[in-house]
């Protein structure tokens, strides 16, 4: 190692007659690191916060930094009894520090937090070029949103989005104020559940499906599913119930049906239409459908409107009673 003059075993030889017992010797020594001139290719062992690094004096003294001051004799360094030069910092980004000192450039880590951590280390070691590189990267880079949800403001905008989309489309219409009746007790909770489900689906399938919110439609809560520019299915989540001799609007939460229709739209990701075997495996059976190709084509053209209806005297009765 290029810092032989700093190793503790050299000092123990020159003070072999000392009355101080060996067990009381300190585990680290403080000395000035000399011999940098003419020993640029000599390897140095560095312990940075428990992480060990090998590098050369040439790299450490190549640029103006705190490390150059340490290894050119201008600043005291600490060594342990095995000769490792100790630096009391995290070693997580020290490799990037050495890389920049060696090549005057380095690939920055991914994520703003990691870049900020590296910049803090660069500031500590006074590597100004790397500090500036991190600052410029943080200024230029902006966090990209995981998912962008268009909000429909007009019917023309909705049509344009659906027709121009290269992906299937799932649209949720929710309009709480659009009602001439009163709402049942759990309708607000179910409306929120529909909106939360929409958010979860959009995060899961946004790469493959375009999700749209519509707050100006006529329905209170309704899902629509589109493939290749045409509507495939519709799930209306509202119904009318009778309680205490007055009409009330109930909002349902048919989670399984909505999830199923969302998966069905994935059949329309690419042109042409899915083959007959795929359609047969994923669709539900209908009373009037056969196995002929013409009838299957008509089935694709038809919009499946699924309405969750409920007519009961009491709001809490199960469906069908």
């Amino acid at each position: 190692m290029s810092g032989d003059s700093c190793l503790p075993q050299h000092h123990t030889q020159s003070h072999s007659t000392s009355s101080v017992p060996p067990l009381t010797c300190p585990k680290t020594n403080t000395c000035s690191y000399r011999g940098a001139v003419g020993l640029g290719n000599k390897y140095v062992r560095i312990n940075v916060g428990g992480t060990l690094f090998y590098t050369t004096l040439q790299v450490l003294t190549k640029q103006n930094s705190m490390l150059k001051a340490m290894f050119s004799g201008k600043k005291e360094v600490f060594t342990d009894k095995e000769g490792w030069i100790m630096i009391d910092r995290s070693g997580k980004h020290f490799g990037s520090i050495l890389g920049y000192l060696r090549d005057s450039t380095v690939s920055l880590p991914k994520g703003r937090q990691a870049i900020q951590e590296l910049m803090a280390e660069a500031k500590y070691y006074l590597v100004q070029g790397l500090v500036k590189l991190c600052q410029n990267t943080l200024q230029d880079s902006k966090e990209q949103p995981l998912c962008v949800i268009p909000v429909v403001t007009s019917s023309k905008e909705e049509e344009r989005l659906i027709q121009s989309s290269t992906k299937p489309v799932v649209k949720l219409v929710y309009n709480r104020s659009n009602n001439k009746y009163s709402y049942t007790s759990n309708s607000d909770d179910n409306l929120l559940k529909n909106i939360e489900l929409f958010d979860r689906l959009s995060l899961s399938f946004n790469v493959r499906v375009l999700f749209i919110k519509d707050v100006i439609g006529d329905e209170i809560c309704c899902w629509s599913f589109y493939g290749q520019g045409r509507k495939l299915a519709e799930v209306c989540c509202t119904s009318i119930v009778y309680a205490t001799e007055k009409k009330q609007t109930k909002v349902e939460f048919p989670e399984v049906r909505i999830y199923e229709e969302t998966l069905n739209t994935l059949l329309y990701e690419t042109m042409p239409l899915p083959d007959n075997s795929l359609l047969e495996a994923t669709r539900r059976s209908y009373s009037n459908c056969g196995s002929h190709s013409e009838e299957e084509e008509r089935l694709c053209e038809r919009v499946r409107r699924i309405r969750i209806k409920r007519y009961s005297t009491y709001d809490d009765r199960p469906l069908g009673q």
Side-chain angles (χ1 to χ4, degrees):
M1 195 188 79
S2 59
D4 292 338
S5 61
C6 295
L7 299 183
Q9 57 265 32
H10 288 207
H11 294 283
T12 57
Q13 292 176 0
S14 60
H15 298 281
S16 58
T17 60
S18 174
S19 60
V20 179
L23 294 177
T24 61
C25 294
K27 294 183 179 180
T28 61
N29 287 335
T30 302
C31 60
S32 296
Y33 203 91
R34 302 185 184 279
V37 179
L39 298 176
N41 293 325
K42 197 76 172 181
Y43 270 84
V44 181
R45 298 184 297 175
I46 308 176
N47 182 338
V48 185
T51 306
L52 307 181
F53 296 88
Y54 281 91
T55 188
T56 63
L57 283 174
Q58 183 179 10
V59 170
L60 294 168
T61 59
K62 188 175 182 180
Q63 300 186 33
N64 289 327
S65 67
M66 189 183 76
L67 293 170
K68 182 177 182 179
M70 290 175 60
F71 292 94
S72 60
K74 297 179 181 180
K75 186 178 178 64
E76 289 184 336
V77 297
F78 293 91
T79 62
D80 63 12
K81 61 182 180 180
E82 296 179 353
W84 289 88
I85 297 169
M86 302 178 65
I87 300 178
D88 188 17
R89 295 290 292 184
S90 171
K92 180 178 180 180
H93 298 290
F94 192 74
S96 298
I97 298 290
L98 294 179
Y100 186 84
L101 293 177
R102 183 184 301 111
D103 303 321
S104 297
T105 185
V106 71
S107 297
L108 298 181
K110 295 182 179 180
R112 294 182 64 87
Q113 181 176 349
I115 296 176
Q116 289 171 348
E117 292 174 355
L118 175 57
M119 185 171 64
E121 296 301 304
K123 288 181 178 180
Y124 175 80
Y125 294 109
L126 303 178
V127 186
Q128 298 302 328
L130 182 55
V131 173
K132 185 176 181 180
L133 177 62
C134 292
Q135 289 175 339
N136 293 338
T137 303
L138 291 173
Q139 292 176 356
D140 295 339
S141 64
K142 296 181 179 179
E143 293 287 349
Q144 296 297 324
L146 292 176
C147 182
V148 178
I149 305 296
V151 177
V152 172
T153 58
S154 68
S155 57
K156 290 184 178 180
E157 180 187 11
E158 175 185 332
E159 183 179 359
R160 179 184 60 81
L161 285 172
I162 295 173
Q163 295 299 325
S164 62
S165 176
T166 58
K167 300 185 291 186
V169 177
V170 173
K171 185 188 73 169
L172 172 62
V173 179
Y174 62 94
N175 190 353
R176 173 65 171 78
S177 62
N178 182 23
N179 180 38
K180 59 183 178 180
Y181 308 115
S182 61
Y183 284 89
T184 57
S185 58
N186 61 346
S187 289
D188 284 332
D189 290 340
N190 285 337
L191 182 59
L192 289 177
K193 289 179 180 179
N194 278 278
I195 297 174
E196 290 173 356
L197 176 61
F198 179 89
D199 293 338
R200 293 200 306 270
L201 291 174
S202 62
L203 289 175
S204 300
F205 297 102
N206 70 90
V207 176
R208 305 173 64 183
V209 178
L210 173 63
F211 289 83
I212 299 176
K213 286 185 177 180
D214 185 351
V215 295
I216 63 172
D218 296 331
E219 298 287 348
I220 297 170
C221 184
C222 185
W223 296 73
S224 299
F225 306 87
Y226 300 84
Q228 298 174 5
R230 66 176 181 272
K231 183 181 286 189
L232 306 172
E234 182 180 87
V235 177
C236 182
C237 302
T238 55
S239 59
I240 304 298
V241 296
Y242 294 88
T244 63
E245 299 181 353
K246 67 177 181 180
K247 291 183 178 180
Q248 288 185 311
T249 299
K250 180 174 180 60
V251 178
E252 303 279 0
F253 179 51
E255 181 177 10
V256 175
R257 182 60 56 82
I258 293 168
Y259 195 88
E260 179 184 359
E261 295 299 339
T262 301
L263 294 180
N264 284 338
T265 62
L266 299 179
L267 295 171
Y268 298 86
E269 283 186 281
T270 57
M271 299 289 286
L273 290 172
D275 56 31
N276 294 338
S277 60
L278 185 58
L279 284 172
E280 185 67 26
T282 56
R283 72 180 185 180
R284 294 182 299 276
S285 60
Y286 291 85
S287 57
N288 296 327
C289 68
S291 59
H292 300 291
S293 59
E294 293 182 358
E295 293 183 359
E296 289 177 346
E297 291 177 0
R298 287 198 298 271
L299 176 62
C300 293
E301 294 291 339
R302 186 174 60 189
V303 177
R304 300 192 305 278
R305 291 183 173 84
I306 302 108
R307 290 191 172 270
I308 311 300
K309 292 186 177 180
R310 176 170 171 170
Y311 300 92
S312 62
T313 305
Y314 299 101
D315 187 24
D316 55 350
R317 285 188 179 182
L319 288 174
Q321 295 188 8

